[in-house]
Amino acid sequence: MTPPRRPRGARRVPRAVAGVLLLVLVGLLLGVPPVAGAAPRDAPPVEVVLDTLAPRVVTADGPGELVVTGRVANRSAVSARDVGVRLERGAPLSGTRAALGALDGDGSTAAVRTPVTEVVPVLEPGQVAPFTVRVPLIGPGTGSLALAAAGVHPLLVDVDGALGTGGPARLGAVRLLLPVVGVPGGDPLAAPPVGRATGVSVLYPLADRPRRVPVVPGSPVVLADDDLAASFAPGGRLAGLVDALGRAAPAGSAAGRSVCLAVDADLLETAEAMAGGYRVSTPDGGTTAGTGATAAARWLDSARAAARGRCVTALPYAGTDLVATARGNLTDLTTAAVATSTRRVAEILGVTPVPDTVWPAGGLLDERSLADLTGGGTRALLLDPGVLDDGLPPGALARLPGPPADAPVAVGIDPVTAAALAPREARADRSASPAGTPAPLAAQDAVGALTLRALEETPDDEPAPVSVVAPPPDWAADGAEAAALLTAVEDLARLGLARPVDLGTLLAPIGPGSALPATALATPSSGVDGLEESVVDRAREVRERQRELLAATERDGVGAPSPSDFVEPLTDGVLRSLSATRRDDPPAQEAAVTAVERQTEELRSLVRVVQPSGSYSLGTNDAPLLLTVENRLPVAVRVEVVLEPTNGLRTGPLPAITVPAFGSRQVQVEVEVTRAGQFAVDAQARTPGGEPLGPTARLLLRSTAYGTITVWLTASAAVVLVILASVRIARRVRAARRDRRSRRSHHRRGPSTPTDPTDPEDAPTRELQTR
């Protein structure tokens, strides 16, 4: 007899229970009980936050000790014992590869270790304890950092202790670079010969992710959120970036001569729109009044003042992904992203941006986007050396392939400073970096990377080096950290280790005949990934519908908006939907392109055939229909009215009509009815190219007229009646003739026997006599 089968999953229960018990046992052995919703496995149990580092650059005439202050926070569920802090210093870095490894936390910091400074005997869960570490910079033994020469050292602020019932271990750490341009008390570092110092060119970004929600042109501005209100306000990110320029890089200073503002026109336009009043989307689909009008106006005035007399370059509008537009065959959008941003930055800031220069998102480009940009007139491109065949070109400049008169110049962005400014994830050894965050010391690694470039020696037979420092467009650093980077440029220039050169000055002497080393895009261009293909396809469809609408519009009188004035905001919306800020966020990409599709459909719905309030009664077979076409757009629109084919109704072709802006026009449609009764007809307004505009209007027709078929039937019946009447008359004539012949015959023969009344031969005669 077969034993009954166990229910599915019954055998797995003991294993699951055993697994849970094993986890609990391990947790008890480690002194960490299981907690619901615990932190991710890679998150350090103790968070270390640095507040200050002094000095940030060690100099010969500076202080003789390093002072580090910060805080230790217990994020675990158990107590931490014997919490202490110590510093570790690595050997000086040499070369790009070693510097990039140190920034990633791969380099060793065990060259020098200082004694542990106790923070707190016991740190309870959720508790925060401050600390201060003072360490001599020079001196023998293990009590100092033992600096002996100029260089850039990896530095680790290490927090040790015991967690729960576990043994001593690293609880958390912060890694950063410590630049040394002179040993305290020693001789200043000798400056390189005149003209051989490292050139420093800082691209200073004023940009943010797109926040405007697509609306019908002329409607109030709507933002997806009100975060810009805080960013524009004093203490905010964007306000701090502008303020840092005035404090650390005023006009005429060395730092000021190195800076070129990289500005996004979309941000400037958004600030301008906010200053005039705006709305903010709410989760329930409505809007509420924004709160940042005053802050936006103040920030825009500060940005104009900061840009006056400075080098300025325009970023692609709203951070458009130029790789995506090229791969989607949207060459006109590639051109619009560059030309629109350049023109509007000039109009709003009152400056002339560096001409024909493009910094694509992330410095990434492929062959198709390069061809589109070159065809559009671009002559200089700021690129990540990783997309170039030979990496960073000497002197940061190289010539890309192309005709001698049109070959663009590649400006290589310094990969070390770029990595030092980008955000980095925490490592498995529980060490983290403040770079790429709004935390204090976020620019310390960039200061170290810039110092490393200034200390490198370049052979005399190579061009003088140039370090193009390019923070990400959405640089998270606050005003203090931005000022720290600019101050480092000023200090290096004062020591003769750096020569400031802004982007415009760097490119000014370069012409078609300038001798530059040749370079090319790497093949294949690995890592150059754009937006989702489906998103680009949908954006292309929206763009085609916009073109069709533009072709049907015209200016409605003098002083009225032109079709380009009307369609430009629509183009801006498509560019925002293709922003590279959403490269790693597919749901955000989908939401952005859906909003643009919705905007286009709403615009098309504003030109429509008005739905009649009642039905049409047709008394004849060729009675006309009177329809009204309404246009609620600010431009005139050429429209064709189309009636869908319907049994019993025929219409002739209708000419296109022009409906004025915010107006209407009546159209008389000639129709021919071929049947009586009631039926429905659909009417729609379309562009001359056949693109549907507004919704379909349903027309109800009630016909009491005889149609063509009825007329033919009536005529045919009349013909039949005439034929039947003619036949009957012919029969009567023949009968009368026979009767006359019979009478003449009777008179000749005389009287005869009376005829039989029932004789059939006499029936016609009797009938005639009776009548």
Side-chain angles (χ1 to χ4, degrees), residues 287-317:
T287 62
T288 185
T291 61
T294 302
R298 185 185 302 114
W299 180 86
L300 191 57
D301 290 340
S302 299
R304 289 192 179 104
R308 195 172 299 119
R310 291 188 191 271
C311 168
V312 175
T313 185
L315 295 170
Y317 188 85

Side-chain angles (χ1 to χ4, degrees), residues 138-159:
I138 58 175
T142 59
S144 74
L145 290 182
L147 297 178
V152 177
H153 302 263
L155 183 71
L156 189 74
V157 181
D158 185 15
V159 175

Side-chain angles (χ1 to χ4, degrees), residues 280-568:
V280 178
S281 296
T282 56
D284 60 359
T287 62
T288 185
T291 61
T294 302
R298 185 185 302 114
W299 180 86
L300 191 57
D301 290 340
S302 299
R304 289 192 179 104
R308 195 172 299 119
R310 291 188 191 271
C311 168
V312 175
T313 185
L315 295 170
Y317 188 85
T320 304
D321 190 337
L322 302 181
V323 173
T325 56
R327 292 180 179 178
N329 295 321
L330 294 168
T331 305
D332 65 317
L333 289 183
T334 300
T335 303
V338 175
T340 299
S341 190
T342 300
R343 173 169 52 83
R344 294 183 186 171
V345 166
E347 292 172 351
I348 297 175
L349 294 183
V351 298
T352 302
V354 179
D356 306 327
T357 302
V358 176
W359 180 14
L364 303 179
L365 217 59
D366 61 6
E367 293 290 349
R368 281 181 284 188
S369 49
L370 174 61
D372 284 353
L373 288 169
T374 304
T378 297
R379 295 294 172 263
L381 291 157
L382 292 149
L383 299 178
D384 183 329
V387 303
L388 297 176
D389 203 14
D390 299 322
L392 183 66
L397 300 176
R399 183 79 68 181
L400 288 163
D406 298 324
V409 176
V411 182
I413 295 171
D414 184 0
V416 178
T417 56
L421 290 162
R424 294 190 291 278
E425 297 181 355
R427 291 180 53 84
D429 64 358
R430 293 178 176 174
S431 67
S433 169
T437 70
L441 304 181
Q444 180 63 28
D445 284 348
V447 173
L450 190 59
T451 305
L452 178 67
R453 292 304 196 198
L455 296 177
E456 289 178 339
E457 295 184 0
T458 305
D460 293 338
D461 58 349
E462 291 186 5
V466 176
S467 177
V468 179
V469 181
D474 57 348
W475 193 20
D478 61 10
E481 289 306 298
L485 178 62
L486 297 174
T487 300
V489 175
E490 183 76 21
D491 292 341
L492 290 173
R494 177 176 52 82
L495 295 172
L497 300 176
R499 53 183 177 88
V501 52
D502 63 54
L503 181 64
T505 304
L506 180 66
L507 293 174
I510 306 300
S514 300
L516 293 174
T519 189
L521 294 182
T523 305
S525 300
S526 59
V528 185
D529 297 325
L531 302 179
E532 296 287 331
E533 185 177 352
S534 60
V535 170
V536 178
D537 290 341
R538 290 167 60 185
R540 182 170 56 250
E541 293 175 2
V542 170
R543 185 62 175 162
E544 290 172 355
R545 290 197 292 268
Q546 290 180 354
R547 286 199 199 97
E548 184 67 29
L549 184 60
L550 174 62
T553 59
E554 58 186 41
R555 187 189 294 270
D556 189 13
V558 179
S562 68
S564 60
D565 295 335
F566 166 66
V567 173
E568 258 196 357

Side-chain angles (χ1 to χ4, degrees), residues 208 380 414 432 481 645 701 720:
D208 200 272
D414 184 0
E481 289 306 298
L701 306 183
V720 172

Side-chain angles (χ1 to χ4, degrees), residues 207-212 224-225 227-228 237 264 266-267 270 318 473-474 579 581-582:
D208 200 272
R209 64 179 177 85
R211 298 179 188 271
R212 295 181 69 167
D225 54 58
D227 293 348
L228 282 178
R237 183 184 75 86
D264 183 3
D266 177 58
L267 176 64
T270 302
D474 57 348
S579 175
T581 59
R582 304 186 184 95

